[in-house]
Amino acid sequence: MLPEALLGQQAVGIEAVAQGGQVGHRACITGSAWLGTRRSRWRHLAQAANHPAKQTPGDDAMTTSKIAFIGLGNMGGGMAANQAKAGHAVAAFDLSEAALERARGAGCTPVASVAEAVKDADIVITMLPAGPHVLKVYSEQIIGAAPTSALLLDCSTIDVDTARKVAGLAKEAGYAFADAPVSGGTMAADAGTLAFMVGCDEPDFAHIEAALEPMSRATFRAGDHGAGQAAKICNNMILGITMLGTCEAIGLAEKLGLDPVKMFDIVSKSSGQSWSTTTYYPWPGPVPTAPSNRNYDGGFATAMMLKDLKLAQDAAAKSGASTPLGAQTEALFQMFDGLGYGGRDFSAILQMLRGKLDELPKL
C-alpha cells in the first residue's frame, strides 16, 4: 500500500487504487488493429466530441463513451465532470469519499475499485501524483483488466522514463496509450479549457484528440511516447521561474512605494506580462479568480510545483542541459515548502519574499 502522504495536491486515493480502484477511458488501438467497425466507431466518437451539447446520457450507444476516471483531486475532479457534461458515462474512482460525492454531483458514477471502473471502459483516464503511482496502477490494475480496445490516457505529470515504460507495457499488452499531461490549472480544469501535451504513436492522435476534447481548448502532439511529459516539465519550469520573477517584482514595487494593483495595470499591458501576471496575479484584487484572493487556498499547491521543478532538474542533469534559473527556482520553492507551506498555492511564495509569512496560515 502506498502512503497517503504521497498523494500531495491531487488527493487521489492511491491506497484504494493500490487495493484495486479504477476508472476507464475511450478506446483506441494502434496500427492494423484499427479496422472495419472500429474505424467507423472512432469517426462517430470524434463527431460526437465536437458536438458535446447534443449528447445526453441515454443517447444511442455509439454517441456515448464509457470513460473510467482515476484521480479526482483538484484537477481530476473538474476534468471528470466535463466528460460527464459532454454526455459520456463516467465511472469515477478516488480514495476520498468527499471527492467521490463531488463527482456524483457532477454527473459521474462513483465506483469502489479500479477493476469495477475499467472492466468495460472505452477510455481510461488517470490523474495521479507521481511516476511510481502511475506505474503501479497501470501495471497492476489497468493493463489486463481493461478491454484491450480501451484507449489509455495518463494525464499525470511524471518523469519521461516512467511514461515510456508504461507506454511499453501497454503496447506489449495490445493497448493504445498516451502520456497527456495538462496545463492551465484548476480554473481551466473546471472550465474544460486545458491545454494537453501528448506523447503517442502518430496514427492514434486523432482518436486521442477526440477523447480529450470535452476537457480541452488545445491539444498538441509533442511527439512519441514521453514527449508529452518532456513538454510539460519544460513548460512548468517556465511557469515557476516567471511566477518567482513576478513575485520579486511585486515585492520590489511595494518597497519603492508603488501600488501592486497599479503595477498589474502597467505590467499586464507591457513587456513584463506573463500568465503569472494576467491570469494568476499573486496580489489580491486584479484577477478575481486567482488564489491570492482566497489567501492562497486551492489552486496549484507549492508541493506540486516543487515536484515538477525537481522533475525538470532531474531531466536537465540526465540530458546535460544547463538550467541555472530552474535550479534557483527549485531551491526557493524547496525552502518555502520546507517552512510548512506546501499545501498553499505556489503563488503564495510572494509572502515569503515580502517577509510576511506570519500573516499566512499553514495548511
Side-chain angles (χ1 to χ4, degrees):
M1 181 178 293
L2 295 170
E4 188 171 352
L6 291 177
L7 300 182
Q9 180 72 6
Q10 299 289 344
V12 175
I14 295 304
E15 292 186 13
V17 168
Q19 295 166 5
Q22 306 181 358
V23 163
H25 305 257
R26 239 180 276 191
C28 169
I29 301 180
T30 58
S32 60
W34 275 102
L35 299 174
T37 58
R38 290 185 178 178
R39 290 187 185 275
S40 175
R41 175 167 171 76
W42 269 114
R43 283 195 295 270
H44 198 96
L45 289 175
Q47 291 168 0
N50 288 329
H51 301 87
K54 297 181 180 179
Q55 300 176 15
T56 57
D59 282 353
D60 188 303
M62 292 298 286
T63 67
T64 302
S65 295
K66 295 178 180 178
I67 298 179
F69 209 109
I70 303 169
L72 305 170
N74 287 351
M75 297 293 292
M79 293 165 68
N82 281 309
Q83 290 286 3
K85 288 176 187 176
H88 302 301
V90 180
F93 176 77
D94 196 284
L95 176 64
S96 166
E97 289 296 328
L100 288 172
E101 284 307 307
R102 287 193 295 271
R104 188 194 305 275
C108 303
T109 300
V111 296
S113 69
V114 176
E116 183 180 353
V118 306
K119 62 182 179 181
D120 57 357
D122 297 318
I123 303 164
V124 179
I125 302 173
T126 50
M127 194 61 162
L128 302 173
H133 310 137
V134 172
L135 180 59
K136 184 176 183 66
V137 170
Y138 274 93
S139 64
E140 297 182 9
Q141 300 171 60
I142 295 175
I143 294 173
T148 55
S149 58
L151 172 62
L152 309 182
L153 302 175
D154 179 43
C155 297
S156 316
T157 298
I158 64 173
D159 62 285
V160 174
D161 290 344
T162 298
R164 289 174 177 160
K165 183 173 183 179
V166 173
L169 293 173
K171 193 167 186 176
E172 287 175 9
Y175 296 89
F177 173 87
D179 50 289
V182 304
S183 178
T186 56
M187 292 181 290
D190 292 341
T193 56
L194 291 165
F196 286 83
M197 293 153 270
V198 178
C200 67
D201 289 335
E202 188 169 10
D204 295 333
F205 181 64
H207 311 319
I208 293 164
E209 188 173 24
L212 296 174
E213 193 275 341
M215 307 179 290
S216 170
R217 65 173 172 82
T219 301
F220 305 94
R221 181 177 181 268
D224 294 332
H225 294 115
Q229 297 297 346
K232 173 61 187 288
I233 62 176
C234 291
N235 178 81
N236 274 26
M237 185 174 71
I238 294 171
L239 174 60
I241 292 169
T242 56
M243 178 57 76
L244 194 58
T246 299
C247 291
E248 287 186 350
I250 290 172
L252 176 59
E254 184 182 23
K255 289 290 188 182
L256 295 176
L258 297 175
D259 179 0
V261 175
K262 181 61 67 176
M263 274 298 297
F264 170 83
D265 295 337
I266 295 168
V267 174
S268 63
K269 298 294 189 296
S270 302
S271 58
Q273 76 86 22
S274 68
W275 187 90
S276 295
T277 297
T278 57
T279 303
Y280 221 77
Y281 199 57
W283 188 276
V287 181
T289 54
S292 55
N293 298 286
R294 305 186 300 272
N295 206 21
Y296 307 97
D297 191 14
F300 187 43
T302 292
M304 299 305 291
M305 170 53 79
L306 178 59
K307 182 202 79 169
D308 291 355
L309 291 169
K310 287 183 178 296
L311 288 174
Q313 288 308 295
D314 289 345
K318 290 178 181 178
S319 64
S322 177
T323 56
L325 286 178
Q328 288 298 314
T329 301
E330 182 205 354
L332 286 167
F333 276 103
Q334 180 71 69
M335 180 187 299
F336 188 47
D337 179 74
L339 290 170
Y341 295 95
R344 290 287 175 190
D345 181 78
F346 79 116
S347 63
I349 199 169
L350 169 66
Q351 304 307 329
M352 185 180 80
L353 297 174
R354 293 177 67 227
K356 301 288 187 180
L357 285 180
D358 58 327
E359 300 177 5
L360 183 65
K362 299 177 182 179
L363 289 178

